[in-house]
């Protein structure tokens, strides 16, 4: 008998009909003789709607209460899914993250899983029940509070369950056929990848491809969990996310140079104008930014103007970190000696990812050429071993992704299918 972990995303359980459809799939897996553990997301856009509601009540968020609120979304879907499975004549039991033993640190809104103690899940499995676990949530022993794992975190719940229960398969069911060369909602001709290395998936997820939560990919890599990302709307094979180092000998797969193109509209650019060009200036600025826990991504420093001995330093951070970074810098304007601050929330980031970039020449030239031909201006550039990212205007980043996708011969023969979801 195999143990299969399945995760169903919000768009797969958006309404009563979808929940019944998913219940049927789960029952089929159970009937095939497998133990089944399911991690489920909140229905449709519930999490966004709860966040909007909180915002309406007050724009100043209390992180503990926000987690109490958001975790309620998954409680609804888990109970309904268990009911639907029972209605099909199979035993099923739902568990909150805390009942499932999903132990996290106490960082509200972005908690990390530190331990999984699935005692009650094992008992329920032994009794023959299908186990349904609320995704995205955990419990901190330290603060004794409910936590959430960050947006998209149900993927991480599934992977952590698969690792803790030593599952044979971890399937991530979503509203597209797998991992594509780009977001099919943006690049119509994106094509599905049959396989992708976890290293490339990590870069894509970190660069805005929300099909998998970045921490789910990290967790899977660390614990040797192979993921199968697939559609809950058909039975097609999806994408296997694997670690080449763990492949059985002789099973080497030929890598393509580019795995995909990701787009990220969730960052802002902050420019510190007129910084005295002296040793230690950057150190001071970024020490202050680091003090706010803002997650700095790209940095560009201009050449200083000879006449003034001053320079501009620009950097990007997630939108949610932007305000506090600006406030902290403003408060230190006198000691830092800069002239002014600029805040730009109209930027987009495009990233090109591929493991074989390490040894391929001319990739950046081809990228810049494609952007030039599409008439798109590049504002910032950064590279890692297997990724090149550029910042453009927000309203041209999607066109940039399409142009780059075509330039790297990634276009498929047909348009990609998106089965559900609002893309929110
Ligand atoms: P779920 O609710 O199932 O977790 P998400 O909305 O979190 O689904 O993730 C699936 C969505 O991710 C797709 O509908 C697609 O728009 C988006 N996406 C972004 N980049 C990619 C990519 N490279 N491959 C597939 N989907 C992607
Ligand atoms: N419901 C949560 C969210 O919308 C978690 C998830 O769907 O993975 O972010
Ligand atoms: Mg998701």
């Amino acid at each position: 008998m195999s143990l299969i972990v399945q995760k169903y995303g919000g768009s797969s359980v958006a309404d009563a009909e979808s929940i019944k459809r998913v219940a049927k799939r789960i029952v089929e897996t159970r009937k095939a003789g497998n133990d089944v553990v399911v991690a489920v997301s909140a229905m449709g856009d519930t999490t966004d709607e709860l966040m909007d509601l909180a915002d309406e009540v007050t724009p100043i968020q209390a992180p503990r209460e926000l987690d109490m609120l958001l975790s309620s979304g998954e409680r609804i879907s888990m109970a309904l899914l268990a009911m639907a499975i029972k209605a099909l004549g199979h035993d099923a039991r739902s568990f909150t993250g805390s009942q499932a033993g999903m132990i996290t640190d106490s960082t509200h809104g972005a908690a990390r899983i530190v331990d999984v103690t699935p005692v009650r899940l094992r008992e329920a499995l032994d009794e023959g029940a299908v186990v349904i676990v609320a995704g995205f949530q955990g419990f901190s022993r330290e603060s004794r509070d409910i936590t959430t794992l960050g947006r998209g975190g149900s993927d991480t719940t599934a992977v952590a369950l698969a690792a803790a229960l030593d599952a044979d398969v971890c399937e991530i069911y979503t509203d597209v056929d797998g991992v594509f060369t780009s977001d099919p909602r943006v690049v119509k001709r994106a094509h599905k990848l049959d396989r992708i290395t976890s290293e490339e998936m990590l870069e894509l997820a970190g660069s805005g491809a929300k099909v998998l939560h970045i921490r789910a990919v990290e967790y899977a890599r660390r614990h040797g969990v192979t993921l199968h990302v697939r559609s809950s709307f058909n039975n097609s094979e999806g994408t296997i996310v694997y670690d080449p180092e763990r492949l059985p000998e002789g099973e080497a797969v030929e890598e393509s140079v580019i795995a995909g193109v990701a787009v990220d509209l969730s960052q802002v650019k902050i420019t510190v104008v007129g910084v005295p060009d002296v040793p230690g200036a950057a150190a001071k600025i970024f020490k202050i930014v680091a003090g706010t826990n803002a997650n700095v991504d790209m940095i560009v420093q201009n050449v200083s103007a000879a006449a003034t001995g001053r320079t501009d330093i620009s950097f990007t951070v997630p939108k949610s970190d932007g305000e506090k970074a600006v406030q902290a810098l403003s408060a230190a304007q006198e000691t830092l000696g800069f002239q002014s601050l600029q805040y730009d929330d109209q930027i987009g980031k495009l990233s090109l990812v591929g493991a074989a970039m390490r040894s391929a020449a001319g990739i950046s030239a081809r990228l810049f050429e494609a952007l030039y031909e599409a008439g798109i201006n590049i504002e910032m550039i950064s590279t890692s071993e297997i990724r090149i990212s550029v910042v453009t205007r927000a309203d041209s980043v999607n066109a940039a992704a399409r142009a780059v996708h075509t330039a790297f011969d990634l276009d498929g023969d047909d348009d990609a299918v998106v089965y559900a979801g609002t893309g929110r």
Side-chain angles (χ1 to χ4, degrees):
M1 187 185 262
S2 296
L3 173 64
I4 299 187
V5 171
Q6 301 186 329
K7 177 258 171 173
Y8 291 91
S11 50
S12 298
V13 292
D15 51 29
E17 269 324 298
S18 318
I19 289 176
K20 287 196 243 176
R21 188 177 55 81
V22 163
K24 268 197 208 128
R25 282 197 89 107
I26 295 169
V27 165
E28 274 163 31
T29 313
R30 177 80 190 105
K31 275 203 202 141
N34 304 295
D35 277 337
V36 191
V37 174
V38 175
V40 67
S41 291
M43 294 169 69
D45 291 332
T46 300
T47 310
D48 288 293
E49 286 156 13
L50 290 172
M51 285 181 76
D52 290 349
L53 196 57
D55 246 358
E56 274 178 51
V57 170
T58 164
I60 300 156
Q61 292 312 339
R64 177 186 184 276
E65 302 314 321
L66 193 62
D67 276 357
M68 287 300 252
L69 178 71
L70 297 187
S71 62
S72 69
E74 271 73 8
R75 265 184 105 126
I76 297 173
S77 53
M78 74 173 195
L80 292 172
L81 188 54
M83 289 175 196
I85 294 170
K86 278 172 163 303
L88 293 173
H90 284 262
D91 193 13
R93 228 161 290 166
S94 64
F95 296 93
T96 62
S98 125
Q99 288 175 316
M102 205 53 69
I103 310 300
T104 69
D105 64 17
S106 50
T107 318
H108 287 295
R112 269 184 192 278
I113 297 170
V114 294
D115 195 10
V116 184
T117 53
V119 183
R120 296 198 60 187
L121 308 191
R122 285 221 174 82
E123 281 170 8
L125 287 173
D126 288 345
E127 288 165 21
V130 170
V131 165
I132 314 288
V133 178
F136 175 59
Q137 54 180 263
F139 173 78
S140 161
R141 283 184 184 132
E142 206 178 64
S143 64
R144 290 177 293 156
D145 277 326
I146 302 293
T147 54
T148 63
L149 310 179
R151 298 307 307 273
S154 296
D155 297 336
T156 308
T157 304
V159 174
L161 289 172
L165 295 165
D166 199 17
D168 297 274
V169 186
C170 182
E171 297 176 318
I172 308 287
Y173 283 97
T174 183
D175 54 12
V176 289
D177 280 329
V179 179
F180 283 68
T181 46
S182 195
D183 184 344
R185 285 178 212 268
V186 174
V187 181
K188 286 263 169 307
R189 283 293 158 106
H191 73 268
K192 195 207 79 185
L193 299 164
D194 292 335
R195 317 174 69 116
I196 184 168
T197 64
S198 51
E199 184 189 32
E200 290 168 318
M201 192 62 237
L202 211 51
E203 289 279 348
L204 281 177
S207 306
K210 71 165 183 168
V211 63
L212 280 178
H213 192 222
I214 185 165
R215 286 195 181 159
V217 187
E218 277 168 7
Y219 206 103
R221 242 169 104 83
R222 221 173 324 123
H223 291 85
V225 176
T226 299
L227 301 177
H228 186 180
V229 183
R230 58 195 307 192
S231 166
S232 72
F233 295 81
N234 59 41
N235 286 314
S236 311
E237 287 290 303
T239 304
I240 302 292
V241 184
Y242 71 104
D243 185 346
E245 280 173 20
R246 293 185 196 249
L247 269 188
E249 209 151 321
E251 246 204 61
V253 183
E254 202 187 325
E255 289 174 355
S256 51
V257 177
I258 304 299
V261 182
V263 160
D264 186 355
L265 284 162
S266 69
Q267 297 199 355
V268 292
K269 181 168 83 173
I270 296 168
T271 304
V272 191
V273 180
V275 182
D277 197 3
V278 293
K284 278 186 209 146
I285 288 175
F286 288 104
K287 195 170 171 203
I288 284 169
V289 177
T292 69
N293 274 330
N295 202 346
V296 176
D297 181 18
M298 292 165 92
I299 302 177
V300 170
Q301 177 174 342
N302 291 347
V303 184
S304 66
T308 60
R310 287 177 182 272
T311 182
D312 297 346
I313 296 180
S314 297
F315 60 93
T316 66
V317 290
K319 274 194 178 118
S320 49
D321 292 346
E323 214 164 297
K324 54 187 185 188
V326 165
Q327 273 169 7
L329 286 171
S330 286
Q333 180 162 9
E334 219 163 287
T335 35
L336 294 173
F338 63 84
Q339 291 165 327
S340 62
L341 285 173
Q342 283 171 2
Y343 187 81
D344 181 355
D345 59 2
Q346 291 303 309
I347 60 159
K349 184 173 102 171
L350 175 149
S351 303
L352 189 62
V353 172
M357 260 187 212
R358 282 195 183 93
S359 52
I363 303 287
S364 22
R366 207 155 137 199
L367 169 67
F368 301 153
E369 183 76 19
L371 294 171
Y372 165 64
E373 277 170 12
I376 292 161
N377 189 42
I378 301 171
E379 300 180 17
M380 295 170 105
I381 302 168
S382 79
T383 62
S384 83
E385 258 195 316
I386 68 162
R387 173 182 53 80
I388 309 174
S389 299
V390 296
V391 165
T392 68
R393 283 295 89 204
D395 58 9
S396 54
V397 74
N398 286 350
R402 289 188 281 271
V404 170
H405 198 267
T406 304
F408 281 90
D409 297 324
L410 296 172
D411 290 357
D413 295 333
D414 302 303
D415 282 358
V417 183
V418 177
Y419 297 96
T422 57
R424 198 170 162 181

